[in-house]
Amino acid sequence: MTRVFSGIKPTGHLTLGNYLGAMRQWAEADQHRSDALFCVVDLHALTVDHDPARVRRLSRQAATLLLAAGLDPQLCTLFVQSHVDEHARLSYVLECVATDGEMRRMIQYREKAARERERGGSVRLSLLTYPVLMAADILAYGTDEVPVGDDQAQHVELTRDLAVRFNQRYGHTFVVPKATVPAVAARVMNLQQPRSKMGKSDDSGPGIVYLLDEPDVVRKKIMRAVTDSGREVVYDREERPGVANLLEVLAACTGGDPAELADEHGSYGALKKATAEAVVEVLRPVQARHRELCADPAYVEGVLRDGAGRAREMARPVVDAAYRAIGLLPPAEVAESVAGAVLNAAR
């Protein structure tokens, strides 16, 4: 089967954008058609200033919401990144293959570093190197496909480059993955800033619908969404980004087509009301299941423990092979085991 890997970072409360752009696709399609691994990438949350207790809390919440969204531990592997040492082990090896120039060309690093310089500060070294850790996340599992939003496509390209370079220099070790991007609502935009992504780390609360927002809060946020000049409901991403965002959210929630939905709504008010109700209904079962899971924390802990065990079994042979290929001496017990296996085979 095709192997799929994707992760979600616990840097904020998960949003409607996370659900429509990724989580629902994982639950409804990816875990059924592939050998799928989904990971709460908590190590990536350490690249910026953070509250340790909040990272732990958000990591648990993210895992619980992934289960509430429909991930089935009988169909996929769900785990926390820091529970599998192979991610950090492989990351350093790949840092020895990546270049400084590649890291500094990453768009997210450039943007965040520039903002910090304007404030008179500087960013953590881990922010510069975290795309290599992301590559390690992917390559450790022999991943074929990485479902991502279009803003992460650059990181998958870096992963591909590192895999090819390693294979050419040290022998074929890694599968070279490709990015897959959902066709509809791959990038839900901020309701107050419709040219900016609805990001969970954003501090623009009124523009973000969180997965655990109460129905009345969801309705209020969508009814107050920024629209565009004019009164006609038209689907035009460039000229009318606010309306286009609402139409894409409505389409993703109802299975419709944004352009056709524009013809069905005679005013911005009617569009907002329809979108708000559609979002409330989409989130209702997720929130109900989340409440059930929160009442049974031992179940969630068990899923993460078993998931980390399976992930470790998959990643360790790949990472061990990378260590051997790049020239690292194996531990004595590993060398003895390999020698024994060779001797037995000869007999």
Side-chain angles (χ1 to χ4, degrees):
M1 294 178 69
T2 298
R3 180 161 290 174
V4 168
F5 177 94
S6 198
I8 202 155
K9 186 163 56 174
T11 50
H13 297 288
L14 299 186
T15 73
L16 179 67
N18 296 129
Y19 181 71
L20 295 180
M23 295 163 64
R24 188 171 65 171
Q25 171 78 13
W26 299 350
E28 294 182 355
D30 292 331
Q31 69 174 344
H32 296 281
R33 69 174 180 85
S34 63
D35 181 10
L37 298 100
F38 301 109
C39 182
V40 179
V41 287
D42 55 343
L43 294 175
H44 291 293
L46 310 185
T47 61
V48 295
D49 289 339
H50 63 278
D51 173 14
R54 185 170 187 264
V55 170
R56 285 191 291 270
R57 185 171 63 252
L58 290 176
S59 296
R60 184 184 300 274
Q61 184 186 86
T64 306
L65 279 168
L66 287 170
L67 290 169
L71 291 189
D72 183 345
Q74 300 301 315
L75 298 175
C76 68
T77 300
L78 174 63
F79 65 104
V80 175
Q81 180 190 30
S82 64
H83 295 177
V84 180
D85 294 344
E86 279 64 31
H87 291 254
R89 288 181 62 208
L90 183 56
S91 181
Y92 180 75
V93 166
L94 293 178
E95 283 186 16
C96 298
V97 178
T99 68
D100 176 75
E102 286 174 317
M103 296 299 98
R104 295 185 186 280
R105 284 195 294 272
M106 293 289 108
I107 293 172
Q108 291 192 26
Y109 170 77
R110 288 163 54 191
E111 292 177 347
K112 291 181 180 180
R115 286 198 296 269
E116 285 301 317
R117 282 195 296 270
E118 290 175 0
R119 298 170 184 164
S122 60
V123 296
R124 299 182 180 190
L125 178 62
S126 56
L127 183 66
L128 177 66
T129 60
Y130 95 89
V132 178
L133 176 58
M134 185 181 293
D137 299 338
I138 296 166
L139 296 179
Y141 298 99
T143 302
D144 299 296
E145 296 181 6
V146 188
V148 293
D150 54 5
D151 60 322
Q152 293 293 329
Q154 185 185 33
H155 291 124
V156 181
E157 284 304 309
L158 173 69
T159 301
R160 290 171 55 84
D161 291 343
L162 294 179
V164 169
R165 189 178 306 152
F166 190 101
N167 290 346
Q168 290 175 341
R169 289 180 181 176
Y170 306 113
H172 185 78
T173 306
F174 298 119
V175 173
V176 180
K178 67 177 181 179
T180 57
V181 182
V184 178
R187 199 176 191 193
V188 178
M189 312 307 279
N190 190 298
L191 297 174
Q192 295 297 317
Q193 303 168 26
R195 294 191 185 277
S196 299
K197 177 184 174 183
M198 185 183 284
K200 59 183 177 296
S201 304
D202 200 327
D203 58 4
S204 179
I208 304 171
V209 175
Y210 296 104
L211 294 188
L212 297 179
D213 277 347
E214 294 292 333
D216 286 346
V217 174
V218 173
R219 293 185 182 99
K220 184 179 295 185
K221 287 180 177 180
I222 294 178
M223 293 304 294
R224 292 179 177 176
V226 168
T227 49
D228 310 289
S229 59
R231 296 187 177 184
E232 187 179 3
V233 179
V234 176
Y235 180 58
D236 186 332
R237 261 188 175 183
E238 294 302 318
E239 297 299 324
R240 298 190 177 184
V243 172
N245 187 38
L246 291 172
L247 287 167
E248 289 184 351
V249 170
L250 180 58
C253 290
T254 62
D257 176 82
E260 293 177 1
L261 288 169
D263 295 334
E264 297 175 12
H265 296 85
S267 67
Y268 291 167
L271 172 61
K272 288 181 176 181
K273 184 175 181 180
T275 303
E277 293 307 317
V279 171
V280 167
E281 289 307 309
V282 161
L283 295 185
R284 192 184 305 280
V286 176
Q287 293 177 352
R289 179 59 176 152
H290 178 265
R291 287 191 293 270
E292 294 174 359
L293 291 166
C294 286
D296 189 6
Y299 171 76
V300 178
E301 291 289 344
V303 168
L304 296 178
R305 182 176 58 251
D306 293 346
R310 291 198 300 272
R312 201 174 296 117
E313 289 178 1
M314 285 185 267
R316 184 164 295 166
V318 177
V319 178
D320 285 349
Y323 269 48
R324 290 193 299 271
I326 205 169
L328 298 177
L329 189 67
E333 62 271 17
V334 175
E336 291 171 2
S337 176
V338 171
V342 171
L343 184 59
N344 289 334
R347 289 173 181 167

